Amino acid sequence: MRASRQHAPIASNARGTALRTMRNALASGLFLARRTGRIALLAGMALMTCAATVLAEQGGPLFMVAGVPNEVVGATIGFIGNVTVSGQAAESALRGALVYTIAWIPVAAILAVAAIDKGVSAMTARISRARGIPSGATALSRALPEAGALSLAYALSCFASFIFRLPACNTSFVEAPWALACAVIATNCLLLSAIYLISSCIASLTRAPLLSAFLTLTFHIGALLAYPNAYIAGSAPAIVWANPAVCLMHTCSLNTQSMLLGAIAIIGALAIGICCALMYFACNHQEACQ
């Protein structure tokens, strides 16, 4: 009885120490995510995609589209630009504002691999290990803030593009579907964060940057290339919904008939949670085996 009472404070202190080290690591990661170089990169990406969306010519661009984009909004999949559907001008503006989401997918994957590779070899990671912070906590403290920064830059770009697209579609700001826009963009942010963390997880497991980049791009871009034909043929298996890039093809085209937007958001959140757990335990296991 006494032994159990003695072990209880020890376990409590261990949990408290782990929480403090995680909090300190996350604070360090937030500081790294706010560095001028990383902010400039994300801001430049946001400005370029916003400008490209606003300056797009009528009828395009179209990426990975399956279906007829100028008939009914929500009846096709893919990334559809400046295509206005009669009677659905506001929805067309929102759909067009999301067209360059396709450019954010490889950016998220590459940035994730680069961040993990740099984080493993960085002096801050060595200092964290010397202070007793688990490698898993260090990896998460680097991945989570940068995934959040990426999502924030993406969201700002999409909202700015949507605001500029509304007058071009002869739609007032009062008539704009703001609730739908917020829901879709928030879901896309979850899916982009999932893509970032899936890529981070692969990089943490392989510890080989080139192999990690190849695997992540094959997983995400390969799905974009293969899914449209399978969608048209009706032969796409249900497992494809586990790929956030496939989900983005539906949300960006406002095609959520096969699966509700809330269910897609849950998929993104589950992918984030699973990848965080895998990264944490895998990095700690690798540290223990060294």
Side-chain angles (χ1 to χ4, degrees):
M1 193 69 177
R2 291 180 179 178
S4 62
R5 290 178 180 176
Q6 290 175 352
H7 285 303
I10 295 174
S12 175
N13 292 335
R15 285 194 296 269
T17 302
L19 288 174
R20 284 195 298 272
T21 55
M22 175 67 88
R23 185 174 62 250
N24 294 336
L26 282 172
S28 176
L30 287 168
F31 173 77
L32 291 173
R34 290 196 296 264
R35 290 179 304 177
T36 304
R38 189 53 56 91
I39 291 176
L41 177 62
L42 294 176
M45 181 67 184
L47 287 173
M48 286 191 295
T49 52
C50 181
T53 302
V54 174
L55 299 175
E57 297 182 357
Q58 183 65 35
L62 304 173
F63 303 107
M64 313 302 178
V65 175
V68 182
N70 58 353
E71 286 187 354
V72 180
V73 174
T76 58
I77 63 166
F79 305 93
I80 302 166
N82 190 7
V83 178
T84 304
V85 177
S86 179
Q88 294 181 296
E91 290 79 5
S92 299
L94 176 57
R95 186 178 66 173
L98 304 172
V99 62
Y100 283 105
T101 302
I102 190 173
W104 288 87
I105 295 173
V107 168
I110 293 171
L111 284 179
V113 173
I116 293 299
D117 177 57
K118 188 175 181 179
V120 169
S121 58
M123 182 60 68
T124 52
R126 299 174 186 174
I127 295 173
S128 297
R129 286 194 293 269
R131 291 178 177 177
I133 300 176
S135 294
T138 303
L140 287 178
S141 70
R142 192 171 187 88
L144 289 174
E146 295 198 2
L150 176 82
S151 297
L152 178 61
Y154 168 79
L156 292 175
S157 175
C158 290
F159 276 117
S161 300
F162 182 48
I163 290 170
F164 283 114
R165 289 287 304 139
L166 286 172
C169 294
N170 298 319
T171 304
S172 67
F173 294 110
V174 177
E175 298 172 346
W178 291 108
L180 178 62
C182 291
V184 171
I185 293 173
T187 301
N188 286 357
C189 287
L190 272 176
L191 294 172
L192 272 180
S193 295
I195 288 173
Y196 187 99
L197 288 164
I198 288 171
S199 305
S200 298
C201 186
I202 293 173
S204 299
L205 292 172
T206 62
R207 296 294 176 95
L210 293 178
L211 177 61
S212 300
F214 173 77
L215 292 175
T216 55
L217 291 176
T218 300
F219 180 73
H220 302 306
I221 305 301
L224 294 179
L225 296 173
Y227 182 65
N229 290 332
Y231 176 80
I232 293 174
S235 60
I239 192 64
V240 298
W241 288 102
N243 191 315
V246 170
C247 295
L248 283 170
M249 297 182 76
H250 282 264
T251 57
C252 290
S253 59
L254 307 185
N255 184 336
T256 55
Q257 299 171 358
S258 301
M259 186 173 289
L260 296 176
L261 196 62
I264 295 176
I266 291 173
I267 291 173
L270 284 174
I272 291 172
I274 292 170
C275 288
C276 287
L278 283 175
M279 284 178 60
Y280 184 81
F281 290 112
C283 290
N284 288 347
H285 177 73
Q286 290 172 350
E287 181 183 28
C289 293
Q290 289 179 354

